């Protein structure tokens, strides 16, 4: 179960509490693929913590439904929010505590061990405000414990005919109920968009990227589409999922990171790199950084349970990459050789390599490069 941190401000927070929803948006834009990839990651009963800017962290709520898009004009509750939130999801109370944990307590006050630092929130702070940020299992455990301890583990008892709001630095209970009655529209058809872009690339010899859409497809369908089971983990196995997982103060981010667990509770850490172009040998340098960071900062991650995965566009004779024609066998041999060299270091499990193609749908095939 993943914990998601949603950013709110003094205007939006009371409305989120009263109407019980979370959301994200990009100023006046009607769509934003990166934000869609983020919020599509949420699953029913995942935990939600709100970060109130310049104040601290409040919780704990849970996801209560699927992500939808607000296409009404103006967007529902625009006047109250003083902000346009295009992608939304309903939430429900779990254990809602009145008092917050300050940013200093959660992030700036360093613990004894580096692995206990909530790195996901530090990286988010350094690199800009993502409206919906995943924190990993150990970070979630630490932050939720801090919220509980701050409140002596004494959540607010809601009762019938009552709602929440934010006032005077606390979540409080108020009389009355607020029913969410806004328009709930399906989000963009990402698969169709990818198929059209890919077709245009091949017919017109263009190289328009669509990795952002590929990431949306993954966050939307992991644990739901059996085709992604071999890549990211099957339904029932996945215990945590993140996207754009920052792995250092540089710009490196793991596209998709899932943690799976078998019946014996043995964990596997799946690091998935997505490419909308054919694979190339230099991809191993990204895998190296991902594996090094994971083994250093994620508790329980060692070489025998860290699984690097690359997902790339199927190589086709004549498909242009960086302006050069590709030959299937030559390019596969080069990439396969690089992956074999990477595997020889024994810093992780053998890299799994999948290629995808389109035929009015998306198809994945695992490549045997040994």
């Amino acid at each position: 179960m993943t914990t998601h941190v949603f950013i709110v401000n003094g205007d939006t927070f009371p409305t989120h509490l009263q109407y019980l929803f979370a959301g994200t948006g990009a100023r006046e834009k009607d769509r934003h693929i990166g934000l869609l990839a983020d919020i599509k990651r949420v699953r029913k009963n995942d935990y939600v913590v709100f970060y109130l800017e310049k104040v601290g962290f409040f919780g704990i709520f849970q996801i209560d439904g699927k992500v939808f898009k607000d296409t009404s004009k103006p967007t529902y509750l625009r006047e109250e929010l003083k902000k346009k939130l295009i992608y939304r999801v309903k939430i429900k109370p779990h254990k809602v505590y009145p008092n917050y944990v300050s940013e200093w307590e959660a992030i700036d006050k360093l613990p004894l061990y580096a692995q206990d630092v909530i790195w996901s929130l530090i990286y988010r702070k350094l690199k800009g405000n993502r409206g919906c940020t995943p924190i990993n299992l150990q970070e979630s455990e630490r932050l939720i414990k801090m919220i509980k301890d701050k409140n002596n583990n004494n959540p607010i008892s809601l009762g019938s005919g009552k709602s929440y709001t934010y006032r005077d630095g606390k979540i409080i209970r108020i009389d009355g109920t607020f029913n969410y009655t806004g328009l709930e529209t399906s989000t963009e058809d990402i698969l169709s968009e990818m198929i059209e872009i890919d077709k245009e690339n091949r017919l017109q010899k263009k190289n328009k990227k669509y990795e952002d859409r590929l990431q949306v497809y993954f966050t939307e369908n992991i644990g739901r589409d059996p085709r992604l089971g071999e890549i990211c983990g099957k339904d029932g196995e996945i215990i945590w999922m993140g996207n754009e997982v920052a792995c250092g103060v540089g710009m490196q981010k793991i596209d998709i990171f899932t943690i799976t667990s078998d019946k014996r509770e043995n964990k596997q850490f799946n690091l998935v790199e997505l490419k909308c172009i054919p694979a190339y040998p230099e991809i191993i340098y990204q895998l190296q950084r991902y594996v090094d960071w994971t083994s250093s900062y994620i508790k329980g991650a060692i070489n025998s349970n860290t699984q690097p995965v690359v997902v790339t566009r199927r190589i086709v004779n004549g498909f242009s990459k960086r302006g050069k024609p590709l030959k299937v066998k030559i390019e596969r041999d080069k990439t396969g050789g690089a992956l074999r060299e990477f595997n020889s270091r024994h810093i992780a499990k053998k890299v799994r390599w999948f290629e995808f193609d389109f035929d009015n749908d998306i198809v994945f095939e695992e490549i045997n490069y040994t």
Side-chain angles (χ1 to χ4, degrees), residues 68-83:
F68 58 91
K69 186 174 183 178
D70 188 314
T71 55
S72 53
K73 297 185 182 301
T75 51
Y76 183 58
L77 301 171
R78 172 65 184 265
E79 185 175 346
E80 292 84 348
L81 293 165
K82 297 181 177 60
K83 191 173 185 178

Side-chain angles (χ1 to χ4, degrees), residues 8-18 50-52 58-59 61 81 165-166 170-171:
V8 293
N9 58 37
D11 293 323
T12 62
F13 194 27
T15 305
H16 285 300
L17 294 174
Q18 292 162 6
F50 286 107
Y51 169 61
L52 178 57
F58 292 84
F61 299 85
L81 293 165
T165 194
Y166 172 72
K170 292 185 177 182
I171 295 179

Side-chain angles (χ1 to χ4, degrees), residues 13 53 93 103 105 187 240 248 256 258 288 298 325:
F13 194 27
E53 293 177 319
E103 185 175 30
E105 293 171 299
T187 57
W240 185 85
I256 300 292
T258 66
Q288 177 79 51
I298 303 298

Side-chain angles (χ1 to χ4, degrees), residues 291-310:
V291 170
D292 288 346
W293 179 84
T294 301
S295 62
S296 297
Y297 293 107
I298 303 298
K299 287 183 179 178
I302 56 177
N303 59 349
S304 62
N305 62 16
T306 300
Q307 178 63 72
V309 183
V310 292

